[in-house]
Amino acid sequence: AQSVTQLDSHVSVSEGTPVLLRCNYSSSYSPSLFWYVQHPNKGLQLLLKYTSAATLVKGINGFEAEFKKSETSFHLTKPSAHMSDAAEYFCVVSDPSGGYNKLIFGAGTRLAVHP
Amino acid sequence: DGGITQSPKYLFRKEGQNVTLSCEQNLNHDAMYWYRQDPGQGLRLIYYSQIVNDFQKGDIAEGYSVSREKKESFPLTVTSAQKNPTAFYLCASSRGPGQGRTGELFFGEGSRLTVL
């Protein structure tokens, strides 16, 4: 069965410092992996996705993630945090066994950015 | 602009009442979804539809109902049978199997339901 674990429920950084949000996955298939961002009381927006092409994936707003099969990880990083990055981030794995576009969501990591 | 529109954004309901949440999309997507979001639990799938006039239960369908009479619309009814309906509800759409599915979901801005 597919599953995804976000290792930190809350992360706090200072503006201008690097961001690391950690995600481990479990998959019986070659997975498709996604990171979504949600600002307060808003819907989710796709940051980036991995679909078996390059293992280093670049997304919007300066975020990137690296797929590491040996570690079953898909951590999200950004070199320098901005105040506007404060939001909740979801790591997501696809589950093709469902016969539809079934996605398994992690519990989320809330990122706080301090001046 | 193409997108997904959910209404109302905030809704209050008394116990025992049914309420219907609206979801409309103009992205020409075949597939539509309803998710429930509770703090610290990520998103859980309520219902999904891959084509007009067809829909399937997700992981937490009890106490909810849907219809898919038009491609653009996928309303969700929260019935009085739903024991804990206070939550944030998100509608999403994606390309269907016959549209070159990419896996990406497009989300509306959500509807927050509070039961008084």
Side-chain angles (χ1 to χ4, degrees), chain A residues 32 34 36 38 41-46 49 51 88 90 94 96 98-108, chain B residues 9-10 33 35 37 40-43 45 48 50 59 88 90 94-95 101-105 107-110 112:
Chain A
S32 293
F34 309 80
Y36 282 83
Q38 183 182 33
N41 294 309
K42 297 289 187 182
L44 279 70
Q45 180 186 16
L46 182 68
K49 64 180 178 182
T51 55
E88 188 149 24
F90 293 94
S94 66
Y100 64 99
N101 189 21
K102 182 175 182 179
L103 300 182
I104 309 299
F105 287 79
Chain B
K9 192 169 180 65
Y10 298 95
Y33 313 79
Y35 287 90
Q37 185 177 23
Q41 294 192 42
L43 275 65
L45 183 65
Y48 66 96
Q50 296 199 88
D59 300 319
F88 191 54
L90 286 160
S94 73
R95 293 180 182 177
R101 193 162 64 191
T102 64
E104 180 181 356
L105 294 183
F107 284 86
E109 294 212 334
R112 186 168 298 281

Side-chain angles (χ1 to χ4, degrees), chain A residues 35-39 43-48 60-61, chain B residues 107:
Chain A
W35 276 98
Y36 282 83
V37 61
Q38 183 182 33
H39 288 91
L44 279 70
Q45 180 186 16
L46 182 68
L47 273 180
L48 51 80
I60 61 172
N61 300 334
Chain B
F107 284 86

Side-chain angles (χ1 to χ4, degrees), chain B residues 20-112:
Chain B
T20 297
L21 308 181
S22 171
C23 178
E24 303 279 331
Q25 57 103 354
N26 61 4
L27 298 169
N28 197 38
H29 287 164
D30 280 342
M32 297 187 74
Y33 313 79
W34 274 105
Y35 287 90
R36 171 178 171 141
Q37 185 177 23
D38 296 284
Q41 294 192 42
L43 275 65
R44 294 181 289 169
L45 183 65
I46 305 173
Y47 268 97
Y48 66 96
S49 168
Q50 296 199 88
I51 201 78
V52 175
N53 293 322
D54 183 66
F55 50 83
Q56 304 295 330
K57 293 181 179 180
D59 300 319
I60 57 164
E62 184 176 352
Y64 300 98
S65 66
V66 294
S67 63
R68 186 85 187 278
E69 297 177 0
K70 298 188 301 181
K71 185 175 186 176
E72 300 79 17
S73 179
F74 192 41
L76 174 73
T77 297
V78 184
T79 75
S80 57
Q82 169 50 233
K83 296 181 180 179
N84 186 20
T86 294
F88 191 54
Y89 292 89
L90 286 160
C91 180
S93 73
S94 73
R95 293 180 182 177
Q99 293 182 306
R101 193 162 64 191
T102 64
E104 180 181 356
L105 294 183
F106 294 79
F107 284 86
E109 294 212 334
S111 294
R112 186 168 298 281

Side-chain angles (χ1 to χ4, degrees), chain A residues 46-91:
Chain A
L46 182 68
L47 273 180
L48 51 80
K49 64 180 178 182
Y50 166 78
T51 55
S52 75
T55 56
L56 183 63
V57 183
K58 294 187 183 299
I60 61 172
N61 300 334
F63 284 94
E64 63 182 36
E66 186 172 8
F67 173 72
K68 291 187 176 180
K69 186 175 181 179
S70 60
E71 299 177 10
T72 61
S73 69
F74 191 56
H75 301 335
L76 182 70
T77 60
K78 183 173 181 178
S80 176
H82 191 272
M83 296 296 289
S84 62
D85 294 329
E88 188 149 24
Y89 293 79
F90 293 94
C91 183

